[in-house]
Amino acid sequence: MSMVCLLLFSSAALPASADGKADAYHYSFYGDAVPAPAAYEATMIITGKKLNISAFKEPSDMHVTEDERVYVLDSGNGRIVELDRNFKLVRTIDSFINEGKKDQFKNPQGLFVTGKGNILVADSDNHRVVHLDDKGELVKIVAEPKSDLLKEDFQFKPIRIVMDKGDRIYVMAEGVFDGFMEFSADGVFSSFIGANRVQVDPVEYLWKRLATREQRSQMVMFTPTEFTNLDMDEEGFIYATSGDRGKDPIKKLNAQGTDILRREGYSAPQGDLRYMNESGPSRLIDVDVGDSDMYSVLDSNKGRIFTYNGDGYLLHIFGGIGNRIGLFNTPVALERAGDRMLVLDKALGEITVFQTTEYGRTLHDAVRSYYNGEEDKSSQLFAKAAEMNANLEYAYAGIGKALLRQKQYAESVEYFKQSMERKGYSKAFLLYRKELMREHFSWVMSGIFLAVAAFVTVVIVRRQRRRTTNAGIK
C-alpha cells in the first residue's frame, strides 16, 4: 500500500458544476483513480440567516436523529440549534438551569442526541459533559472524573461524545491516548476502551536503543494516536476515526474495545489511496454510520466524503475543497438524513445539503437488498449500477455474492472473475466443483466400477490363458 501512496494523484479540488454535481472518481482493483458518476448532488445551503437567527459562529458538530431532526452545535455562540426534517427552525438552547441558577455552555465541541431526545454536550472549556432531557432541562453533569487510571494532574476536556442504549457514555477527551473514556449511566468513570496501538518506526526504534539518555529525551515518544471522532450504530458498536494515517484509521469497536471492522475490499478503508507528497494523505475527522452497515468518513484535508459498505468496499466519493456549491472551506462534521447527506462547514458557518442521485440511490438500494437477503433484487440493482458506471468493479462482486447465496455457483464464478474478487471466486469455484462432483457422482462411480471390473476381468482372462498355454506345453 505504501508503494501505491507514493504514486502521484491530483490533489486539486474537484470542479463543480452550477447544479452542485462535482466530478467524481473511484478506485479500481489496481488502485487507479477512475471516473465515476456523482452519487450525491448539493441542493441547498443552510445558514443562521436563512433560519432567521444570528449567523453560526464556528459550529463544530451536529447530530441527526432517526426521525431526521437536525441538531447543530453552534460553538462560537454557545448554543444548540434544532431543525425539523424540512430544515425549519424548531428552537435554540443556549442555557439551562443548574442548581437554581442559569448556566451556559463555553466553547462546546461535541453533541449527541439519543432516540428519546436526550441531549449530551461535550462542554469543552467548562471541562464537563452536560446531559439535558428532551425539554432542555438538566439531567446530570459529568465533570472531572476521579480514578486510579487517571493521572493526578489530569484535566478533563471532552471533545466528542456518544451514549448507548444502556445510558453508558463514551467520551473522546483531549490529550487522552488510552482510548475513549467510558462512564456508567450515573456518570461515574469506569474504564478506557479501544486504545489505538502504538505506531513504531523500526529505524527510529533502533536509533533510540543506541542513543544516549540526552538524545532520547529530545526524541518523540512512542505514544498511541488520538482518535478524532466516533459514532455509534444501532447495535451499540462504536465506529471511530484517527487523524494519523497509521494502520487502520477507521475502527469498529465492540464492547471489549476490540476492532471488528471488516476490511475485505480491494484496499482497507482509509480515504484516498493516492496523493501528492506536499498535500499528504487523507485526515479522517468524522464518521457517520448509516443503515445496512454502510458508513461514511470525512477527510478534512481534501474535503471529501468516502462511503463504504460493511465488508469494506468503497462505494463512492464526493465533495472537495473550493468556493462553489458542493465544495467546502473547513468541513468538520457529516450526518446522514435519509437519502440526504449533511456536511457542516466550520469556517463558513453553514450546512451543505446533498441529495442522492439516481446512481447513488441504485447503489445504496443494491447494498440494502443484499444486506436484507433479497438476492434477486440486489443482483438486478447491482447490474443497473454497473450499467451506469462501467468502472464499478464492486457491482460485479455484489452480483457474484448474491448469486452465491442463491447457490448459482457457476454464474457466481464468472461475476467474481470480472470483479477481480479472489476470495469470493475461490469460494464459489470450490462450491461449484463440489456441486459438479455431487451431480456426476453416480456416473463417475459407475465408470470407476466398470473400469475396475473390466481391469479385473482382463487380468483374470490373461492368467487363465497363461495357465492353459503352460499346460499344453507340458
Side-chain angles (χ1 to χ4, degrees):
M1 187 58 64
S2 59
M3 290 294 293
V4 174
C5 294
L6 291 175
L7 297 175
L8 295 181
F9 176 70
S10 175
S11 63
L14 297 175
S17 60
D19 62 1
K21 290 185 179 180
D23 291 339
Y25 63 98
H26 198 81
Y27 283 108
S28 69
F29 169 80
Y30 297 102
D32 297 322
V34 294
Y40 282 89
E41 59 181 325
T43 56
M44 68 181 296
I45 300 291
I46 301 172
T47 64
K49 184 178 180 180
K50 290 184 178 180
L51 297 172
N52 293 319
I53 58 176
S54 59
F56 292 135
K57 184 180 180 181
E58 297 187 344
S60 60
D61 201 8
M62 65 178 171
H63 187 91
V64 176
T65 60
E66 291 183 7
D67 56 358
E68 299 182 26
R69 287 175 293 131
V70 181
Y71 291 78
V72 183
L73 187 60
D74 189 9
S75 303
N77 290 315
R79 66 184 179 183
I80 302 166
V81 179
E82 181 185 348
L83 313 177
D84 64 18
R85 68 187 318 274
N86 297 314
F87 308 123
K88 302 298 182 184
L89 180 65
V90 175
R91 62 175 171 169
T92 61
I93 302 174
D94 58 9
S95 64
F96 54 93
I97 302 301
N98 181 11
E99 296 182 350
K101 298 180 180 180
K102 181 179 179 180
D103 203 344
Q104 294 180 303
F105 306 112
K106 186 178 181 182
N107 191 31
Q109 294 295 305
L111 174 71
F112 185 81
V113 183
T114 70
K116 298 178 181 178
N118 282 247
I119 303 170
L120 289 100
V121 180
D123 195 5
S124 304
D125 284 4
N126 279 327
H127 307 286
R128 64 186 182 181
V129 171
V130 178
H131 181 185
L132 307 176
D133 63 17
D134 58 342
K135 297 180 178 64
E137 297 177 356
L138 182 65
V139 176
K140 66 176 177 287
I141 286 180
V142 179
E144 295 299 343
K146 303 296 181 182
S147 172
D148 293 337
L149 299 175
L150 301 172
K151 297 180 180 179
E152 291 183 3
D153 59 348
F154 174 73
Q155 189 175 48
F156 186 48
K157 190 173 183 179
I159 303 297
R160 292 290 188 268
I161 186 169
V162 296
M163 176 184 275
D164 65 14
K165 293 181 179 179
D167 291 342
R168 287 180 293 269
I169 300 172
Y170 299 90
V171 175
M172 186 190 86
E174 184 177 285
V176 174
F177 299 95
D178 298 306
F180 299 115
M181 302 181 71
E182 180 181 342
F183 294 82
S184 62
D186 55 5
V188 177
F189 172 70
S190 56
S191 64
F192 292 102
I193 180 174
N196 278 314
R197 292 184 179 180
V198 175
Q199 301 296 323
V200 179
D201 184 335
V203 176
E204 187 176 353
Y205 176 75
L206 178 61
W207 175 244
K208 276 195 173 187
R209 298 285 294 179
L210 300 175
T212 64
R213 180 179 299 177
E214 290 76 14
Q215 289 173 326
R216 286 198 298 269
S217 66
Q218 297 176 5
M219 294 180 182
V220 177
M221 295 181 62
F222 293 137
T223 57
T225 304
E226 278 186 288
F227 287 110
T228 55
N229 221 318
L230 73 164
D231 194 15
M232 182 170 285
D233 67 10
E234 295 179 351
E235 298 177 342
F237 294 111
I238 294 175
Y239 285 70
T241 54
S242 301
D244 187 3
R245 180 75 173 189
K247 181 183 179 182
D248 303 332
I250 308 170
K251 291 181 170 62
K252 179 181 180 180
L253 306 175
N254 62 15
Q256 289 73 42
T258 304
D259 180 17
I260 58 171
L261 187 75
R262 296 197 297 274
R263 300 177 177 89
E264 300 173 7
Y266 301 133
S267 58
Q270 58 189 283
D272 270 321
L273 301 181
R274 298 191 175 193
Y275 52 88
M276 297 184 72
N277 290 334
E278 56 267 27
S279 60
S282 296
R283 174 173 167 74
L284 305 181
I285 61 166
D286 197 8
V287 56
D288 176 77
V289 185
D291 64 292
S292 308
D293 277 355
M294 289 184 283
Y295 59 94
S296 301
V297 292
L298 173 63
D299 172 17
S300 65
N301 193 12
K302 306 290 182 58
R304 291 168 182 154
I305 294 93
F306 301 81
T307 299
Y308 301 88
N309 78 339
D311 290 327
Y313 283 91
L314 177 63
L315 299 180
H316 50 71
I317 307 168
F318 73 96
I321 300 296
N323 56 7
R324 303 180 67 175
I325 186 170
L327 304 179
F328 322 109
N329 182 296
T330 311
V332 292
L334 78 155
E335 285 285 323
R336 186 179 283 101
D339 283 338
R340 299 168 295 184
M341 186 75 79
L342 281 60
V343 179
L344 179 64
D345 195 308
K346 184 173 186 176
L348 299 179
E350 63 184 30
I351 301 171
T352 303
V353 180
F354 293 85
Q355 181 68 52
T356 50
T357 61
E358 183 183 2
Y359 170 69
R361 287 191 296 273
T362 301
L363 187 52
H364 292 172
D365 288 343
V367 174
R368 291 187 182 104
S369 297
Y370 177 78
Y371 182 85
N372 294 324
E374 301 170 351
E375 285 82 9
D376 285 336
K377 185 177 179 181
S378 67
S379 295
Q380 295 171 8
L381 289 169
F382 276 124
K384 185 178 178 181
E387 290 178 2
M388 297 179 183
N389 181 11
N391 292 322
L392 187 65
E393 295 161 323
Y394 165 66
Y396 300 109
I399 297 173
K401 288 182 178 181
L403 292 172
L404 186 62
R405 278 187 176 181
Q406 294 174 303
K407 298 183 179 181
Q408 298 182 33
Y409 304 128
E411 294 86 348
S412 178
V413 166
E414 293 303 316
Y415 279 104
F416 279 128
K417 186 176 181 180
Q418 289 185 62
S419 70
M420 305 294 288
E421 220 285 271
R422 297 173 181 175
K423 185 177 180 180
Y425 177 86
S426 298
K427 183 176 181 179
F429 184 79
L430 178 63
L431 292 171
Y432 177 51
R433 186 173 61 184
K434 287 183 178 180
E435 184 180 56
L436 287 177
M437 289 297 294
R438 284 196 297 269
E439 289 179 356
H440 302 289
F441 180 77
S442 59
W443 290 98
V444 171
M445 291 305 297
S446 298
I448 293 174
F449 176 78
L450 291 173
V452 171
F455 176 77
V456 172
T457 301
V458 169
V459 170
I460 293 174
V461 170
R462 285 182 178 179
R463 287 180 177 177
Q464 188 65 35
R465 286 179 178 177
R466 288 195 191 100
R467 289 174 182 175
T468 301
T469 301
N470 292 334
I473 294 175
K474 292 179 180 180

